[in-house]
Amino acid sequence: MKEYWSYLASLLGVLAFCQTLLQLIFPPQLRFLSLNFLNRIFHLFSSYCYFDITEIDGVNTNELYNAVQLYLSSFVSINGSRLTLTRALNSSAITFGLSNNDCIIDKFGGVTVLWEHVVIQRQSQTFTWRPLPDEKRGFTLRMKKKDKSLILHSYLDYIMDKSNEIRRNNQDRLLYTNSRGGSLDSRGHPWESVPFKHPSTFDTLAMHPVKKQEIMHDLKDFANGQSFYHKTGRAWKRGYLLYGPPGTGKSSMIAAIANYLSYDIYDLELTEVHNNSELRKLLMKTSSKSIIVIEDIDCSVNLTNRKKNNKGNYCDPDDGGNSITLSGLLNFTDGLWSCCGSERIFVFTTNHIEKLDPALLRSGRMDMHISMSYCSYPALKILLNNYLGYEESDLDCNVSRELAEAVDMVEMTPADISEILIKNRSDKQKAVGELLETMKTRAEGNLKRGSLKEKISDEEQEKRALESDFEQPSKEQENAEKMK
């Protein structure tokens, strides 16, 4: 046994001597060049090529690394044997990922590639303003040399598009608002955000079904129209104007659009924007696939009808405290700066469409005008189903007929009707009875006010006729005096 250990010690000594001798004969630079030369020879005769995608590119995060990580998570749960589980901020789903130094095979266009998740410990760091992670992470992509063109030109673009789609599906919608007074948040952004969890959908929206289908079809055409907008040379954006009395569901419509298209919402508060330049900067900081909303645009700042000058041309009104002009807002929605992103929707709301300048309403700025009117019988049936679970067949025929007649005679908004149904949702019959009684009472009131208005109108017409009869002789007398 002693001989064995002495032999092993002698062998280790010889190896250490040889290693020392090699280090003396072959300095580190020479060893590095030799390994590099052997590596080149290996790759020269190998049928594969390799690409490294690191997590950190200098001091910035590599977006391609994040995209690959998210893309692989879409199928790694099926093919992988050792996985990591993560849940991102504002995400509603758990995602899978490759474990450290694990591999997975993917196929694209009949080509097979190998992905390896490489994780190594980072050596001692030098001083930097931004500390780096303790581990160096990256993906190594192995493919055959003959497939390089397909992979680099199509496969990576496919990964970016697929990862964006996965991110939108997994991540909850965000509701943004511009910071007060144009200030920036901790990341230097002018927008502050919270998760958007509004449950409104087109199924629950109180609107005529035919009208809803028209809007949904228009939205889907827009979302799928990238090639059309590119071919026609138009910016990939669309404008919607929602107008109608308060309580008719304009905000619910915006939420339904966001949930239908899976878009984020940017709620722009114009009173916090000081000038046109700041307005453009806010637009530049919005993301694609988003809805930019300006609610009650007729009340935000002085953007009503422009006044004519002495030459007959329109000019912007002078607004003392706020220097946003109508022309600045028009450029924001339809000028060159509106093209700095893609797949954006502009939504303006107003209670008084007649107060808006015609230049703001034309196609190209507000492409689709959506009237949010008082509740109709088809919209009423949706509300009854939402709050009481009533189908049309569940109501008595006489009650249905009375509701259909009464709702057309009164001007009740979906908000007014919803409040009655919510208040009595525990007793469905009572809710329907109180709703019908309220409608009849308002209908009678409208008839009385209508007859009173007609009476007042008749009195005014009679008064005007008397005044005109009184003025007519006076004019004849003046003419007679002039003749004399």
Side-chain angles (χ1 to χ4, degrees), residues 276-294:
N276 295 336
S277 176
E278 188 174 319
L279 188 64
R280 288 194 296 268
K281 292 177 181 178
L282 285 169
L283 178 64
M284 292 171 59
K285 292 296 183 179
T286 59
S287 61
S288 299
K289 297 183 181 295
S290 60
I291 303 172
I292 301 174
V293 179
I294 302 179

Side-chain angles (χ1 to χ4, degrees), residues 229-358:
Y229 282 89
H230 180 74
K231 181 179 66 175
T232 56
R234 294 173 60 92
W236 193 8
K237 64 179 183 61
R238 192 153 180 83
Y240 294 89
L241 176 67
L242 310 182
Y243 65 95
T248 51
K250 294 185 284 292
S251 298
S252 297
M253 168 66 78
I254 296 171
I257 293 174
N259 290 327
Y260 182 66
L261 297 178
S262 298
Y263 284 8
D264 293 334
I265 296 179
Y266 289 85
D267 186 11
L268 179 59
E269 181 58 54
L270 284 181
T271 56
E272 296 295 339
V273 184
H274 297 142
N275 49 55
N276 295 336
S277 176
E278 188 174 319
L279 188 64
R280 288 194 296 268
K281 292 177 181 178
L282 285 169
L283 178 64
M284 292 171 59
K285 292 296 183 179
T286 59
S287 61
S288 299
K289 297 183 181 295
S290 60
I291 303 172
I292 301 174
V293 179
I294 302 179
E295 292 192 280
D296 298 324
I297 190 171
D298 55 302
C299 303
S300 297
V301 291
N302 193 6
L303 295 174
T304 54
N305 289 324
R306 294 169 292 175
K307 299 178 181 179
K308 283 187 177 181
N309 55 21
N310 297 331
K311 298 181 180 180
N313 298 324
Y314 283 107
C315 60
D316 288 315
D318 185 18
D319 191 2
N322 195 304
S323 60
I324 296 178
T325 61
L326 180 62
S327 61
L329 185 63
L330 298 180
N331 290 330
F332 175 81
T333 57
D334 191 35
L336 292 176
W337 288 98
S338 66
C339 308
C340 64
S342 61
E343 202 171 349
R344 284 199 185 100
I345 292 178
F346 292 88
V347 178
F348 292 171
T349 71
T350 180
N351 298 334
H352 305 282
I353 189 174
E354 69 278 359
K355 292 184 178 181
L356 299 182
D357 193 281

Side-chain angles (χ1 to χ4, degrees), residues 404-422:
E405 293 174 355
V407 75
D408 292 333
M409 297 175 63
V410 297
E411 294 182 345
M412 290 187 68
T413 64
D416 295 333
I417 296 175
S418 298
E419 180 57 31
I420 297 174
L421 298 180
I422 291 173

